[in-house]
Amino acid sequence: MAANRRPTLADVAREVGVSAKTVSRVLNEDGPASAETREQVLAAVARLGFQPNLMARNIRVGGPDTTIGLVIPDLGNPFFGAVARSIEDTVRERGLTLLMGSSADDPGRERDLTDKFLARRVSALLVVPSVGADHTHLKAHRTRGLPVVFLDRPGAGLSTDSVVSSNRTGAHDGVAHLVAHGHRRIGFVGDLPTKLYTRRERLAGYRAALREAGIPHDRSLIANAHDQHGASTVTSQLLGLDDPPTALFAGNNIVALGIVTELARSKRKDVAVVAFDDVELGEALEPALTVVAQDPEEIGRAAATTALARLDGDRSRARTMTVPTRLIVRGSGEHPAPARP
């Protein structure tokens, strides 16, 4: 066998002096083989470093693979990284391997990834839906028993399980916290695109808190950004208004980083900030960042557990699980509003 070639089933058979069919029977445990032959085959497999092609076998016999497919929008976002780790930890206990890909929030790329996972016959499919994606193409697979779970956002065109955060309630609580410290000019910096489910839910919570406090909704205090640089830019614009906000609510962790960066650059320590979703080293900032914390570990665990339950035969109706958020008070959201003339 050439040193630079991966060993094949035929190589194992040649090493032992049996047929490839015999090797296949031993590895797949689907036919008779003596104890001596089995021992020789497994020894040759270990000696040669042979890896069975599970994908080819599963396609041949029509069975599922031993993998779970996960599509997330951004591999670099710590929130989705924590979700993925939790999923992987949960499915590993069942001997399953997590396959993951990034859609970059592009519906076409998401479809391409899901098609590749389906071609591999994954045991379950977990997806963070992209804005504008249509999931009707998964209906046939869902009907045939493939567990499909949407995370963070509901999908479109498919009735299936979903796991989301309490986005509206969490945002309401964060903004109400700012109101309780006397703020009436509260800016909202949300994600893009504006049709994003989490952005819409968090904006609705922001508006509900203002409405309960009798504070009029002011469109000039609403801004959007999809990255840290954009968030810094719109923060500067908000603070440059004739009647600027005295507090800011960040719609996600990336936006929060842009806000605190701009406040530090402009030496503004008088603006209160509450962020939806925690950020790495949030406690190390000055002042430490007050956040509405999500529970990405629980989101991942709930999604994986749901998929495994479906694999085990759960045929109950599709359901949406909402994972609670919690307000963590650290200092940045407790600046009192300045006295108005």
Side-chain angles (χ1 to χ4, degrees), residues 28-264:
N28 296 323
E29 298 182 348
D30 62 357
S34 69
E36 181 182 5
T37 298
R38 174 179 171 77
E39 183 178 341
Q40 290 175 341
V41 167
L42 295 179
V45 165
R47 189 162 56 250
L48 297 176
F50 172 69
Q51 291 288 331
N53 188 335
L54 294 179
M55 179 179 175
R57 176 189 178 276
N58 292 328
I59 291 174
R60 183 172 67 253
V61 302
D65 197 0
T66 56
T67 55
I68 300 288
L70 171 64
V71 180
I72 61 175
D74 182 3
L75 292 171
N77 188 319
F79 171 78
F80 293 116
V83 169
R85 281 195 302 273
S86 182
I87 293 171
E88 184 174 35
D89 289 343
T90 304
V91 302
R92 185 190 292 125
E93 296 175 0
R94 289 283 295 269
L96 298 169
T97 302
L98 183 66
L99 299 179
M100 183 169 59
S102 171
S103 67
D105 256 328
D106 176 79
R109 186 164 164 175
E110 178 194 313
R111 174 67 182 266
D112 183 58
L113 278 169
T114 57
D115 285 348
K116 283 182 168 61
F117 287 152
L118 292 170
R120 188 186 173 99
R121 296 179 183 265
V122 291
S123 294
L125 185 62
L126 284 63
V127 181
V128 178
S130 305
V131 175
D134 183 356
H135 301 98
T136 54
H137 67 287
L138 297 175
K139 280 185 177 180
H141 300 278
R142 180 75 180 86
T143 301
R144 289 196 292 267
L146 176 74
V148 178
V149 182
F150 292 128
L151 302 100
D152 190 53
R153 318 160 186 172
L158 180 69
S159 176
T160 195
D161 299 309
S162 298
V163 181
V164 299
S165 288
S166 54
N167 293 284
R168 189 176 299 213
T169 299
H172 168 276
D173 294 347
V175 175
H177 184 72
L178 292 169
V179 171
H181 284 80
H183 296 279
R184 295 184 64 82
R185 296 288 291 173
I186 303 173
F188 176 92
V189 183
D191 199 356
L192 287 170
T194 57
K195 291 183 179 180
L196 185 68
Y197 167 80
T198 49
R199 188 259 184 198
R200 288 188 289 108
E201 286 293 294
R202 294 167 195 175
L203 180 61
Y206 162 86
R207 287 176 171 170
L210 295 184
R211 187 166 55 250
E212 287 179 10
I215 301 174
H217 173 58
D218 186 342
R219 290 182 179 274
S220 71
L221 296 180
I222 307 297
N224 304 288
H226 191 56
D227 56 30
Q228 185 174 332
H229 175 74
S232 293
T233 299
V234 298
T235 297
S236 176
Q237 293 169 352
L238 286 171
L239 297 178
L241 294 173
D242 291 338
D243 190 6
T246 61
L248 294 170
F249 183 79
N252 66 20
N253 52 354
I254 304 301
V255 165
L257 292 173
I259 289 175
V260 297
T261 297
E262 175 56 29
L263 292 178

